[in-house]
Amino acid sequence: MSALSSIRVLDLSRVLAGPWCSQNLADLGAQVIKVERPGQGDDTRGWGPPFLKDSGGQDTREAAYYLCANRGKQSITVDFTQPEGQALLHELVKHCDVVLENFKVGGLRKYQLDYDSLKAIKPDLVYCSITGFGQTGPYADRAGYDFMVQGLGGLMSITGAPDGEPQKVGVAVADLFTGMYATTAILAALFHRQQSGQGQHIDIALLDCQLAMLANVNMNHLIGGVTPPRQGNAHANIVPYQVFATADGHVIVAVGNDSQFARYAALCGHPEWAADERFATNRARVQHRQVLVPMIAEVMRTRTRDEWIALLDAETIPCGPINTIPQAFADPQIQHRGMRVDIPHPVAGSVPQVASPMRFSATPIQYETPPPLLGQHTAAVLQSVLGKSDEALAQLQARGVI
């Protein structure tokens, strides 16, 4: 039995933040019914190349982007711009615990799919809205995208080389963090419903989530009154905690406390650094990083990357290589943890997936259902949940409702 096996989710979201949330819920065992536009579906289905190849080696309509965030779900195609499509979703809502959507503020009201409309149908519904800027405020009506939110929310101002231009993070972290926050919020709302019998509306904004995830950098500003600068690969509050060039590549050195620094200084051939009042404590090292880091950098160039890693590991000083994505998947620890899984797929034979990092002793995640084909489960869901007959489904299809 899965942790959320009694929960059914009606997922009206698309692209990344919402689907990332609903994939988490599906991994945890919820039945997730993904509602898509007939004939087109989630925009990310076409966001390639690369595309999943079928058994004959030809591209399918399933882009890698779509495949990253939609496993474990059932896809139904419903045109809810039509009254009959709205009626179908209203019927489904009666049988669902959660509705997830990421339309613009008020965008679903004209289809009677907003929170107030659905609450009237199912009073204990947990309804989660994901938007760029939230349901209120001067930006509420704007469309929000990860890239612009990374800029607006300050993340790009602290990312990149100190003397370079601001940089976005290499993946859509504002979307992904928003999906994670939304997952947590939905689980909390379900627990509250269990205790009180009450549903509620959850308002999740990309901008809020992106700002919140700045963590210690936020507090450096709020407590220290400073404008945090770009540090490149250095850490704002810990030294040395950055990338160093070696004789044949680069290595990350992450010295987390003063005793580690003493051992590191000895490995560098400079045990006196640990006794120097400029470097003896992390506070002092942060204040004198411009003196210390160049001296460390000079020493680090005298050995190869692997030599440094072996020496640092032996002294339990946190360190590591900078892997490419293929190297990361080939890493023995990642392979041991089973982070790649392959799920049977009706067209491709199998589809690779990245396993969830959530591990449970009593309710382990089952990887059985691949990201669905467009509309793959329309008939099955409408028959099993709503009891629609073959004839009724044929009529709905003839009218373009499904």
Side-chain angles (χ1 to χ4, degrees), residues 3 8 22 75 89 109 130 144 176 199 271 284 299 331:
R8 180 179 285 142
S22 56
S75 171
L89 296 188
R109 191 172 298 122
I130 295 175
L176 297 172
V299 174
D331 185 278

Side-chain angles (χ1 to χ4, degrees), residues 9 39 62 70 83 86 109 115 118 121 158 165 175 183 206 211 217-218 222 237 251 274 294 315 317 345 349 370:
V9 180
E62 316 252 301
N70 287 286
Q86 295 159 30
R109 191 172 298 122
Y115 174 62
L118 298 187
I121 297 172
I158 61 167
E165 67 177 9
D175 275 336
T183 304
L206 266 69
L211 186 65
V217 177
N218 278 336
L222 295 175
N237 299 103
V251 66
E315 290 294 331
I317 298 168
H345 189 275

Side-chain angles (χ1 to χ4, degrees), residues 94-131:
K94 296 176 184 177
H95 302 275
C96 291
D97 304 282
V98 178
V99 168
L100 174 66
E101 60 93 5
N102 62 350
F103 286 77
K104 289 183 180 180
V105 173
L108 291 177
R109 191 172 298 122
K110 60 184 175 182
Y111 307 119
Q112 291 79 53
L113 294 171
D114 58 299
Y115 174 62
D116 288 336
S117 297
L118 298 187
K119 179 183 177 183
I121 297 172
K122 186 172 176 60
D124 65 348
L125 182 67
V126 172
Y127 187 106
C128 182
S129 296
I130 295 175
T131 57

Side-chain angles (χ1 to χ4, degrees), residues 263-291:
R263 298 197 301 276
Y264 180 54
L267 280 181
C268 289
H270 292 278
E272 71 278 5
W273 288 349
D276 191 317
E277 63 180 11
R278 297 172 299 171
F279 315 136
T281 66
N282 182 70
R283 179 172 183 166
R285 292 193 295 276
V286 171
Q287 292 171 334
H288 296 93
R289 72 165 76 221
Q290 301 303 328
V291 177

